[in-house]
Amino acid sequence: METIVEDAETEYELDKVKKKYGNLGPGVVMVQVEKGHQGLGISLAGHKDRNRMAVFVCGINPKGSAYKTGGIQVGDEILEVNGLVLHGRCHLNASALIKGLPGSLFKVIVLRKTEGLENLAVKPITQFPVSLDDETPEQRYANFKGLRTVAIKKTGQGLGIMIIEGKHAEVGQGIFISDIQEGSAAEQAGLIVGDMILAVNKDTLLGSNYDAAAALLKKTEGVVSLVVCNPNKAKTEEKTADGAPARTPTPQPPKEPEKPRLTGKPVVHAISPSTSGKLAEEPPADPATAPVNPGRESTIEINKDKMGLGLSIVGGSDTLLGVIIIHEVYPDGAAAKDGRLKPGDQILEVNSEDFRSITHSKALAALRQTPAKVKMVVLRDEGVVSGKEEELMDMMEVELTKKPGKGLGLSIVGRKNGPGIFISDVVQGGTAGTDGRLMKGDQILAVNGQDLKNSTQEEAAAVLKTAAGKVTMKLGRLKARKIPTK
């Protein structure tokens, strides 16, 4: 084991380090670094295998204290800093954690292996600004086109964006914006669907997976600085600048598939309270009290009473389902208080707007614009008697082949109210996306025979990550009953 020691006390500490990290091999090194006013002067990155959490040194600024002290090398994996264990943790939070440590003398424990450089998620950083604080996004992300920095003031409603982990032909794997809430801070700040998020408050997202990026965004407060790029937008601007012929119709169509979006668009989405819209004409029966009768269209009216509807929906004419179905009824919303709507109910009309052949995004827009009283025409499957999930869903089994070092290309989320693991994202170009049979809103019931009906999101994620080779998934999808278009 290589050591860098100065006195007997450090020797004693090193003995403890050997016992703690001895199973990692002979490359454990302990270094003492005095933090300067600009920090340690090191840049951090994750492991190239996104299933492995690690904090690697990917750059050492020649003007920083780590470079002057010596002992830390590019490719070193940071295990611990002043007793703060970073081994097995995400690199995105490491920078902020280190900066928040008190004192000026840091004892850094690193693991040095010959393959360290090969395990970096990014190429080693060799170009540094004159001052550590002067590094601009333009310098750090010079290879990305359409680069811009956007400042967003985070409110109680969040940033107003949905993200996915995807792959783009121009920039490769990354975290992209897949949806933006209408009227949100993100929309007002100028973010657009298809933007790739490179950094959040100076923490890079390059090499990050969906879970790590979502966790970092969730922890942000106040004014949030996002560095984003949009290669497709930049490409269009370049063509315009170069005098591309305006008469050719080909530049326009590529705008649709440019975004790393999902095949189909069944997005599980909460319905927010809204303030505008008009009431439809009164039906013969009193919709305020009329029950939802299985097997035939039922008209009901819900009084929101300054609350959100409290629904999430899946499906749409642009998805595998083809129709709009209620996925979940949240216990704190107006629909739950009303008590008549249930998961699996198909929405046919909302305030006289036909939902029978509507796209997912248009359905969301219509539901967001509902007034205080919402009139809905719904259909409940007549085969549903007890309300058990087995009656609500079509069951299917899908076998996917997981490539070495790769995931299945999907993200999961737990039900807000009660047990259940659902697909929240299917990455275009990934294993699941290429297969084409999975969609957002599908419930994962079992993986390789292991029952996930009552599992937590963390437990299910661990099962999916550790599955290798051929992965057999048992899925449940809410039933869609085809209704003739009016």
Side-chain angles (χ1 to χ4, degrees), residues 11 28 80 88 110 136 146 152 211 246 305 316 365 388 396 409-410 418 438 448 485:
E11 285 278 15
V28 177
E80 189 175 306
V110 301
T136 64
I152 307 175
D211 294 331
D305 192 24
K388 292 181 179 179
M396 62 180 179
L410 55 84
L438 276 64
N448 288 342
T485 305

Side-chain angles (χ1 to χ4, degrees), residues 164-192:
I164 61 171
E165 182 183 348
K167 189 174 184 180
H168 190 283
E170 294 281 333
V171 293
Q173 195 81 12
I175 302 298
F176 297 84
I177 295 176
S178 62
D179 197 10
I180 299 179
Q181 186 178 351
E182 186 177 355
S184 65
E187 184 182 57
Q188 294 171 12
L191 290 176
I192 60 176

Side-chain angles (χ1 to χ4, degrees), residues 7 67 79 95 111 170 180 193 215 253 284 286 335 346 366 376 394 417 431 437 456:
D7 52 35
Y67 181 88
L79 304 177
S95 178
L111 176 63
E170 294 281 333
I180 299 179
V193 172
D286 184 1
Q346 183 176 330
M376 306 174 72
D394 289 320
N417 180 36
T431 301
R437 289 176 288 175
T456 65

Side-chain angles (χ1 to χ4, degrees), residues 135-142 144-152 175 177 191 195-206 217 224-230:
E135 185 176 22
T136 64
E138 288 75 14
Q139 290 172 311
R140 189 168 190 181
Y141 305 106
F144 294 88
K145 297 178 181 179
L147 191 71
R148 64 192 194 280
T149 301
V150 179
I152 307 175
I175 302 298
I177 295 176
L191 290 176
D195 280 345
M196 178 182 182
I197 306 178
L198 302 173
V200 179
N201 290 342
K202 295 187 177 182
D203 288 317
T204 184
L205 288 187
L206 293 180
L217 286 165
V224 182
S225 177
L226 301 182
V227 179
V228 300
C229 74
N230 197 311

Side-chain angles (χ1 to χ4, degrees), residues 17-74:
V17 169
K18 288 180 181 179
K19 293 179 182 178
K20 190 172 184 178
Y21 298 108
N23 63 316
L24 299 179
V28 177
V29 180
M30 185 166 67
V31 185
Q32 289 192 3
V33 182
E34 188 169 353
K35 183 174 72 171
H37 70 284
Q38 295 174 323
L40 297 178
I42 59 176
S43 297
L44 305 179
H47 199 289
K48 68 179 181 181
D49 180 354
R50 289 178 291 110
N51 292 319
R52 294 182 59 182
M53 293 290 194
V55 181
F56 282 101
V57 177
C58 65
I60 302 177
N61 195 307
K63 296 190 179 295
S65 56
Y67 181 88
K68 295 174 183 176
T69 303
I72 296 179
Q73 299 179 11
V74 173

Side-chain angles (χ1 to χ4, degrees), residues 366-478:
L367 287 164
R368 286 169 177 161
Q369 294 171 6
T370 53
K373 291 185 178 181
V374 185
K375 187 176 292 183
M376 306 174 72
V377 179
V378 298
L379 177 68
R380 181 171 298 160
D381 195 314
E382 58 187 346
V384 177
V385 179
S386 66
K388 292 181 179 179
E389 288 192 341
E390 291 77 7
E391 296 178 338
L392 300 175
M393 297 188 293
D394 289 320
M395 304 297 176
M396 62 180 179
E397 195 168 277
V398 175
E399 185 179 275
L400 303 174
T401 301
K402 192 175 183 182
K403 297 178 182 178
K406 301 289 184 181
L408 291 172
L410 55 84
S411 297
I412 60 173
V413 65
R415 178 180 278 152
K416 187 175 181 180
N417 180 36
I421 301 298
F422 298 86
I423 295 175
S424 60
D425 276 319
V426 180
V427 180
Q428 187 178 13
T431 301
T434 303
D435 179 82
R437 289 176 288 175
L438 276 64
M439 62 173 277
K440 284 188 176 181
D442 285 348
Q443 181 174 358
I444 303 177
L445 304 173
V447 174
N448 288 342
Q450 184 169 345
D451 194 332
L452 298 184
K453 293 190 192 75
N454 296 307
S455 298
T456 65
Q457 184 175 343
E458 292 75 17
E459 291 168 344
V463 171
L464 288 167
K465 285 182 179 180
T466 54
K470 291 190 181 298
V471 181
T472 302
M473 303 175 68
K474 185 179 179 182
L475 303 167
R477 179 174 298 165
L478 290 171

